[in-house]
């Protein structure tokens, strides 16, 4: 039987359920078509590869975990990720990571799994993703480990946090001895299990789709330095200048020390910049103005209260400037009371004391009839973030809004996994390209009406699609599997009775009911077939016939 690990009483949160309770126990080897693996209760990694439809092989053992799993009380399920066509990362669920050289898989003659690295890495985890690459002539494997850990500081929330640990293992050659060692460990922390987390093929970055944000937890030394920086910035300095504006001019007031005379002040105007210096000090203000000015009409005077007043005449009358000097935070904008009233009046029509004051108007903001109960999903919106591996900073953030995350799929194992998002009634598949900054997320396929159809399936457990996009599929917790084919041209003539028009193509929906009373534990789709795993049975559903 499959080595299913049920949730313990202390794993009661939605995050535990998402990460471990809904775990897919069937692993598809994307490097070799129609090749699946699972771990059985004896800790054996079992493989089933489909060669001929008529002669199905029995699952065969390719590897056995050295640990006696039954001896561990707080273990998680074992997890596997195929980093390349010859490398595999494996976790036994007790907190130990194995790096395995498998040889060419899918071919029993050359397939031989041997451990080249194994190490205890702390509390139990599951492998979320891993990649194998060569950098500067060194073979490296990067692995992403997912944990849900107790958070003593969290008294208001669930009492747990989620960590993603990014571990880099590289080949080290010392005096002719080749071995693999950990060369870097980085930890991200967040408050929700990510929907999607993957390392870029080059190992340079990381992409995460999650409901709540993740951030890198730095080493202690970095933290101390950062605290010092924070102290200096928190001691907020007084503004060096104040400014006001009307539709056609800007007035700036700069406080000047007692000993400064008129000759010590230098003010330089140009059509799009300004520079003000007092004596031999660094400029009080300098830089590119938000918009152009008529520099020949600009003036400055010294007021009796020892302040320098500068008047700038706007070239384009009317628009308000959101800032004076681009990127400069040393000054403070003071709004005229009359301007404040004017802005409030302008915004008045956008707000109301009543939620929907005029429901009969031509374009109401929202009608409850458009939304069905099944369309509401738990989370308001997720975001997609890309983290840089060196700086550990976020380089891209995309708010996915109401585009609900549905599932991920490996279309090309050399690329990052794709993710599928709901867009209104449809589902769109996106392929990340970390090496193409202008086209970092490419829309590669559309599943018509899948967004709408899946929303009504209250018991759905897993979703998948064929790597060639020919169909999408979802399964419930028990027995039923739904298959949605892409539209195909018809050989016969078909008319839409309502509209009287001829229909050129039809998309078929199929339902398969499994002869099994055990819950579904694993679900994988290939171009030709679906693999469905229960505790004791592996079902194969032929969806497409081979070319």
């Amino acid at each position: 039987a499959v080595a299913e690990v049920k949730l313990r009483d202390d794993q009661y949160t939605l995050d535990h359920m998402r990460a471990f309770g809904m775990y897919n126990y069937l692993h598809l080897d994307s490097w070799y078509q129609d090749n699946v693996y699972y771990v059985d209760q004896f800790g054996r990694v079992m493989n089933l590869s489909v060669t001929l439809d008529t002669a199905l092989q029995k699952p065969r053992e390719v590897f056995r975990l050295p640990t006696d799993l039954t001896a561990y009380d707080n273990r998680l399920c074992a997890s596997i990720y195929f980093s390349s066509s010859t490398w595999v990362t494996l976790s036994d669920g007790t907190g130990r990571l194995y790096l395995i050289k498998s040889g060419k898989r899918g071919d029993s003659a050359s397939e031989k799994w041997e451990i080249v690295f194994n190490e205890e890495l702390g509390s139990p985890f599951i492998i979320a993703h891993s990649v194998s690459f060569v950098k500067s002539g060194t073979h490296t494997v990067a692995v992403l480990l997912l944990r849900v850990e107790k958070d003593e500081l969290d008294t208001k929330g669930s009492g747990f946090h989620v960590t993603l640990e990014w571990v880099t293992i590289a080949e080290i050659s010392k005096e002719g001895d080749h071995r693999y060692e950990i060369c870097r460990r980085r930890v991200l922390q967040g408050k929700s299990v990510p929907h999607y987390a993957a390392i870029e093929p080059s190992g340079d970055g990381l992409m995460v789709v999650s409901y709540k944000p993740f951030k890198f937890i730095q080493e202690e030394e970095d933290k101390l330095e950062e605290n010092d920086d924070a102290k200096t910035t928190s001691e907020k300095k007084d503004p060096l200048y104040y400014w006001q504006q009307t539709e056609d001019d800007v007035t700036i007031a700069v406080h000047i020390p007692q000993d400064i005379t008129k000759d010590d002040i230098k003010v330089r105007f140009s059509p799009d910049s300004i520079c003000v210096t007092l004596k031999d000090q660094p400029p009080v203000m300098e830089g590119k103005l938000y918009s152009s000015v008529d520099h020949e009409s600009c003036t400055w005077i010294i007021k009796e209260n020892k302040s320098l007043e500068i008047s700038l005449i706007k070239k384009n009358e009317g628009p308000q400037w959101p800032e004076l000097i681009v990127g400069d935070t040393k000054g403070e904008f003071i709004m005229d009371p009359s301007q404040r009233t004017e802005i409030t009046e302008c915004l008045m029509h956008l707000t109301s004391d009543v939620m929907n004051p005029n429901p009969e108007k031509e374009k109401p903001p929202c009608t409850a009839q458009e939304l069905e109960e099944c369309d509401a999903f738990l989370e308001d919106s997720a975001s997609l973030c890309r983290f840089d591996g060196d700086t550990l900073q976020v380089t891209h953030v995309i708010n996915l809004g109401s585009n609900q995350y549905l599932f991920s799929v490996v279309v090309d194992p050399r690329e990052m996994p794709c993710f599928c998002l709901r867009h209104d009634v449809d589902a769109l598949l996106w392929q990340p390209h970390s090496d193409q900054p202008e086209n970092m997320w490419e829309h590669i396929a559309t599943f018509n009406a899948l967004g709408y159809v899946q929303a009504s399936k209250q018991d759905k457990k897993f979703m998948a699609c064929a790597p060639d996009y020919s169909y999408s599929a979802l399964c419930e917790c028990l027995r039923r599997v739904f298959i949605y084919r892409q539209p195909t041209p018809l050989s016969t003539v078909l008319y839409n009775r309502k509209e009287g028009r001829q229909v050129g193509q039809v998309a078929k929906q199929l339902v398969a009911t499994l002869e099994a009373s055990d819950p579904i534990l694993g679900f994988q789709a290939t171009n030709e077939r679906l693999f469905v795993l229960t505790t004791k049975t592996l079902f194969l559903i032929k969806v497409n016939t081979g070319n």
Side-chain angles (χ1 to χ4, degrees), residues 441-496:
W441 294 282
E442 182 193 358
H443 168 219
I444 55 169
T446 301
F447 297 104
N448 296 324
L450 180 63
Y452 179 74
V453 173
Q454 63 79 36
S456 65
K457 302 285 182 280
Q458 295 291 297
D459 292 332
K460 72 168 178 287
K461 187 168 185 183
F462 299 118
M463 286 184 79
C465 75
D468 64 0
Y469 336 123
S470 57
Y471 69 91
S472 58
L474 64 88
C475 72
E476 295 186 334
C477 298
L478 274 170
R479 290 197 191 92
R480 288 200 301 177
V481 176
F482 297 86
I483 300 160
Y484 307 100
R485 292 187 186 278
Q486 289 281 29
T488 48
L490 288 165
S491 50
T492 55
V493 176
L494 182 71
Y495 283 92
N496 179 325

Side-chain angles (χ1 to χ4, degrees), residues 341-395:
T341 315
E342 203 176 301
I343 289 171
T344 310
E345 281 169 7
C346 288
L347 298 174
M348 218 41 183
H349 74 287
L350 298 175
T351 60
S352 164
D353 297 335
V354 190
M355 197 64 168
N356 192 359
N358 185 6
E360 300 306 314
K361 76 171 190 182
E362 219 174 287
K363 287 185 180 171
C366 168
T367 67
Q369 285 80 13
E370 288 173 17
L371 284 177
E372 296 174 31
E373 195 183 332
C374 63
D375 284 321
F377 65 105
L378 274 168
E379 296 158 359
D380 308 333
S381 67
S383 58
L384 163 61
C385 295
R386 181 195 175 268
F387 294 89
D388 183 278
D390 289 328
T391 63
L392 310 185
Q393 297 297 314
V394 176
T395 59

Side-chain angles (χ1 to χ4, degrees), residues 42-53:
F42 296 121
R44 299 181 300 179
V45 178
M46 306 298 284
N47 162 246
L48 182 91
S49 44
V50 181
T51 41
L52 296 163
D53 293 336

Side-chain angles (χ1 to χ4, degrees), residues 231-283:
K231 267 185 203 155
T232 51
T233 51
S234 63
E235 292 161 10
K236 203 169 178 240
K237 293 173 184 165
D238 288 334
L240 292 182
Y241 60 88
Y242 295 90
W243 64 288
Q244 283 184 304
Q245 62 178 322
T246 63
E247 286 192 353
D248 38 34
D249 63 21
V250 174
T251 307
I252 306 159
V254 182
H255 175 71
I256 49 177
Q258 290 291 334
D259 58 335
I260 297 284
T261 63
K262 190 178 178 184
D263 299 333
D264 297 329
I265 299 170
K266 286 193 174 61
V267 182
R268 259 204 336 271
F269 300 114
S270 77
D272 55 6
S273 66
I274 186 172
C275 179
V276 179
T277 47
L278 307 178
K279 229 174 188 173
D280 305 324
Q281 298 167 6

Side-chain angles (χ1 to χ4, degrees), residues 162-453:
V162 179
T163 62
L164 280 172
E165 184 174 3
W166 180 357
V167 180
T168 309
I169 304 163
E171 186 178 18
I172 311 287
S173 302
K174 281 181 186 164
E175 298 147 21
D177 176 29
H178 291 277
R179 68 167 189 273
Y180 283 80
E181 285 180 7
I182 291 180
C183 59
R184 198 166 179 194
R185 290 176 76 167
R186 290 154 281 186
V187 178
L188 289 112
Q189 195 172 299
K191 291 298 285 182
S192 68
V193 167
H195 297 302
Y196 171 99
I199 302 164
E200 295 173 357
S202 60
D204 291 333
L206 179 70
M207 290 187 197
V208 178
V209 175
S210 64
Y211 166 46
K212 291 190 175 159
F214 273 79
K215 64 169 187 283
F216 274 101
I217 306 299
Q218 293 158 315
E219 281 80 43
E220 289 304 310
E221 292 163 35
D222 296 355
K223 265 191 186 161
L224 292 172
E225 277 175 33
E226 206 164 81
N227 286 346
D228 292 345
D229 293 348
K231 267 185 203 155
T232 51
T233 51
S234 63
E235 292 161 10
K236 203 169 178 240
K237 293 173 184 165
D238 288 334
L240 292 182
Y241 60 88
Y242 295 90
W243 64 288
Q244 283 184 304
Q245 62 178 322
T246 63
E247 286 192 353
D248 38 34
D249 63 21
V250 174
T251 307
I252 306 159
V254 182
H255 175 71
I256 49 177
Q258 290 291 334
D259 58 335
I260 297 284
T261 63
K262 190 178 178 184
D263 299 333
D264 297 329
I265 299 170
K266 286 193 174 61
V267 182
R268 259 204 336 271
F269 300 114
S270 77
D272 55 6
S273 66
I274 186 172
C275 179
V276 179
T277 47
L278 307 178
K279 229 174 188 173
D280 305 324
Q281 298 167 6
V284 178
M285 51 193 297
E286 180 183 32
K288 188 178 185 305
L289 293 165
Y290 175 76
S291 188
S292 301
V293 292
D294 179 358
H295 66 293
E296 286 173 359
S297 308
C298 296
T299 57
W300 62 271
I301 55 163
I302 296 177
K303 304 279 280 201
E304 294 123 32
N305 62 352
K306 288 302 275 183
S307 73
L308 166 68
E309 190 175 280
I310 303 166
S311 295
L312 306 178
I313 308 301
K314 293 182 181 178
K315 205 157 205 170
N316 308 314
E317 288 179 17
Q320 292 281 316
W321 291 10
E323 56 183 343
L324 176 61
I325 295 171
V326 179
D328 183 36
T329 55
K330 294 195 290 259
E332 189 178 306
F333 174 58
I334 296 170
M335 193 181 283
D336 193 288
S338 61
Q339 287 175 324
R340 198 169 276 137
T341 315
E342 203 176 301
I343 289 171
T344 310
E345 281 169 7
C346 288
L347 298 174
M348 218 41 183
H349 74 287
L350 298 175
T351 60
S352 164
D353 297 335
V354 190
M355 197 64 168
N356 192 359
N358 185 6
E360 300 306 314
K361 76 171 190 182
E362 219 174 287
K363 287 185 180 171
C366 168
T367 67
Q369 285 80 13
E370 288 173 17
L371 284 177
E372 296 174 31
E373 195 183 332
C374 63
D375 284 321
F377 65 105
L378 274 168
E379 296 158 359
D380 308 333
S381 67
S383 58
L384 163 61
C385 295
R386 181 195 175 268
F387 294 89
D388 183 278
D390 289 328
T391 63
L392 310 185
Q393 297 297 314
V394 176
T395 59
H396 299 70
V397 180
I398 294 166
N399 182 3
L400 299 178
S402 58
N403 301 117
Q404 180 189 358
Y405 172 89
L406 298 177
F407 63 90
S408 69
V409 59
V410 176
V411 166
D412 177 353
R414 288 174 296 274
E415 294 264 10
M416 294 177 80
C418 301
F419 50 85
C420 188
L421 303 177
R422 180 178 175 176
H423 289 251
D424 196 25
V425 296
D426 300 329
L428 271 58
L429 197 61
W430 298 89
Q431 171 69 68
H433 297 292
S434 55
D435 54 344
Q436 300 174 28
E438 302 80 36
N439 185 29
M440 203 170 262
W441 294 282
E442 182 193 358
H443 168 219
I444 55 169
T446 301
F447 297 104
N448 296 324
L450 180 63
Y452 179 74
V453 173

